[in-house]
Amino acid sequence: MSWMSKVPPAGHLPTAGATKDMGKMLGGEEEKDPDAAKKEEERQEALRQQEEERKAKHARMEAEREKVRQTIRDKYGLKKKEEKEAEEKAAMEQACEGSLTRPKKAIPRGCGDDDEEDEESILDTVLKFLPGPLQDMFKK
């Protein structure tokens, strides 16, 4: 069987559709649908409407979540993150109203400059654990 037997006869070739597509591919004019602009406008409007519905749905869901969050805050006496940050910012502003330098960070107790009273209390604590004769020696 040769390759010629597989080729369909000339009358059976799809010429009408092929020439139309070939014309488009070669840069020819496309057929204009008279209702194309109207259909495109309707499609765009449908997309806008779907987007608005989606946004409304998400807004409703977020409002419901916020209600649940608020009930939890009320139940456990918690504050919103924004409220906490606002209070901390106000406290920082009050602390440095008259200062020309930036506010110092809080130093944990026991670190940095301590009063002598604290050092004595630490020494007294250590002396408690020493045997009697050593306590007397350190007290003098």
Side-chain angles (χ1 to χ4, degrees), residues 2-14:
S2 71
W3 65 272
M4 291 293 287
S5 63
K6 294 181 183 177
V7 176
H12 295 285
L13 289 175

Side-chain angles (χ1 to χ4, degrees), residues 52-122:
E52 288 172 6
E53 289 172 359
R54 186 188 67 81
K55 285 183 180 181
K57 175 184 169 187
H58 285 284
R60 284 192 307 270
M61 289 170 48
E62 186 60 30
E64 184 65 30
R65 288 186 192 119
E66 188 57 36
K67 285 181 189 176
V68 171
R69 290 183 198 119
Q70 190 58 46
T71 56
I72 292 170
R73 282 188 215 105
D74 294 341
K75 182 177 178 181
Y76 294 106
L78 304 174
K79 293 182 180 179
K80 274 186 159 182
K81 196 173 193 177
E82 295 88 29
E83 291 175 1
K84 280 184 182 180
E85 290 172 355
E87 287 178 2
E88 290 173 1
K89 188 175 181 181
M92 290 295 282
E93 288 175 1
Q94 280 183 341
C96 62
E97 277 180 358
S99 176
L100 296 176
T101 60
R102 67 176 177 82
K104 291 182 180 179
K105 303 227 182 220
I107 299 173
R109 189 161 177 84
C111 297
D113 296 331
D114 288 334
D115 296 336
E116 289 183 23
E117 297 171 7
D118 291 338
E119 291 175 13
E120 291 176 0
S121 65
I122 293 171

